[in-house]
Structures are given as C-alpha cells and as structure tokens.
Amino acid sequence: MAHEDCIFCKIITGEIPSAKVYEDDYVYAFLDISQVTKGHTLVIPKTHVKNIYETPSEVAGELFARVPSIANAIKAAYKPIGMNLLNNNEAPADQSVFHIHIHLIPRYGEGDGFSSNWTVHTEDYTPGDLQTIAAEINSEIK
Ligand code: AMP
Ligand code: ZN
C-alpha cells in the first residue's frame, strides 16, 4: 500500500524519477541521489513500511532475499574491494526517509567517502553483564 507523502512510494510508481537498478513484484532498487561511492544503491520493499520496527517478516524476507544478487551485480560492474550494508532506523539514527531501505555502499579504499566510526566499550561489560543483557533482549523477542 503506497503512502501518499512518501517519496520512495512515488519513486516506485514513477511519479518521482530515479535511476532504477532493479525491480520485481516485491522490491525496487535505485541509485541513491547522493552517491557516497560509485554504485551506492538503495533497496526498498514495494510495501510501504516505515522502518525495521514495523517490517513484517515476510516483507523483510522478500527485501533481504534480493540484496545478495544486487550486491553481486554492483561488485561485477565496478569491482569494489568491499561493500557495506546500512539501514538507519528513526531520526536519531540518521533515518531521513521513512520508508525502509537498505543502503548498499561499495567500497573502493581509504578516503572513498564512507567510514563507520564507533567507539567500543568492551571494558564496561563483564562476561556476566553480557549474559544478562542477552537474556533481557531474548525475553522481549515476540
Ligand atoms: P536515510 O538517511 O538512511 O534515511 O537515507 C535516505 C537516502 O535517500 C539518502 O541517502 C538520500 O540521498 C536518498 N534520497 C532522498 N531522496 C532521493 C531521491 N529522490 N532519489 C534517490 N535517493 C534519494
Ligand atoms: Zn513509502
């Protein structure tokens, strides 16, 4: 079901133009208008869902099922030396378009435009803490 104010739903219908990479009954893949690296592609489900929290497993299954072949196509076309997948959920985590999408960002080497910087806090968590956290998350799985 298309969402009337959603730019990605409008891309699927062709109302907003895009550089289409692939399309089938379930997914649409197109170049990110802001190319981080050459071939930076977004893969979206044709079903409008806001983000990972609201994605039914069947939609997630159809979406992710197509990611490997698209990743391999980018690899074959441009010979990147690596590839990062990125999925941002909610504005504080940098989601700016609220129709779930997977970024495929081919990597070409240092200074190619993408970096994933994070600071680890390994020393803050004992093995017991990790067991507790894992159990707390597990208890919420529906
Ligand atoms: P995110 O910040 O993870 O929500 O990513 C949204 C992405 O959509 C950004 O990288 C934008 O460059 C991209 N984007 C926004 N509008 C368009 C558009 N009309 N065509 C292609 N990509 C778009
Ligand atoms: Zn949408």
Side-chain angles (χ1 to χ4, degrees):
M1 178 90 88
H3 189 282
E4 58 182 19
D5 297 325
C6 174
I7 58 168
F8 284 180
C9 285
K10 291 186 172 131
I11 281 176
I12 291 166
T13 60
E15 207 177 319
I16 292 178
S18 68
K20 181 169 79 176
V21 169
Y22 174 77
E23 178 180 17
D24 63 25
D25 287 347
Y26 299 101
V27 307
Y28 192 96
F30 57 107
L31 295 185
D32 194 307
I33 202 164
S34 304
Q35 292 277 282
V36 169
T37 60
K38 186 176 186 179
H40 174 190
T41 297
L42 301 176
V43 188
I44 64 177
K46 287 195 168 174
T47 303
H48 177 92
V49 285
K50 181 183 171 190
N51 59 32
I52 197 71
Y53 299 125
E54 297 182 6
T55 304
S57 323
E58 316 81 70
V59 174
E62 299 289 3
L63 176 62
F64 280 94
R66 280 145 185 89
V67 169
S69 55
I70 297 166
N72 276 300
I74 297 168
K75 186 179 178 209
Y78 296 123
K79 310 286 184 283
I81 58 173
M83 171 107 38
N84 290 101
L85 302 189
L86 183 66
N87 163 235
N88 299 327
N89 299 284
E90 303 291 3
D94 296 328
Q95 184 175 12
S96 62
V97 177
F98 294 88
H99 178 134
I100 192 171
H101 48 280
I102 311 297
H103 293 260
L104 278 65
I105 305 173
R107 301 300 306 279
Y108 300 100
E110 214 171 308
D112 63 4
F114 184 84
S115 69
S116 43
N117 287 324
W118 59 52
T119 308
V120 296
H121 297 101
T122 313
E123 64 286 356
D124 293 352
Y125 300 93
T126 66
D129 291 336
L130 299 184
Q131 292 297 330
T132 301
I133 294 165
E136 285 173 347
I137 297 169
N138 178 268
S139 73
E140 296 289 349
I141 290 179
K142 307 274 194 303

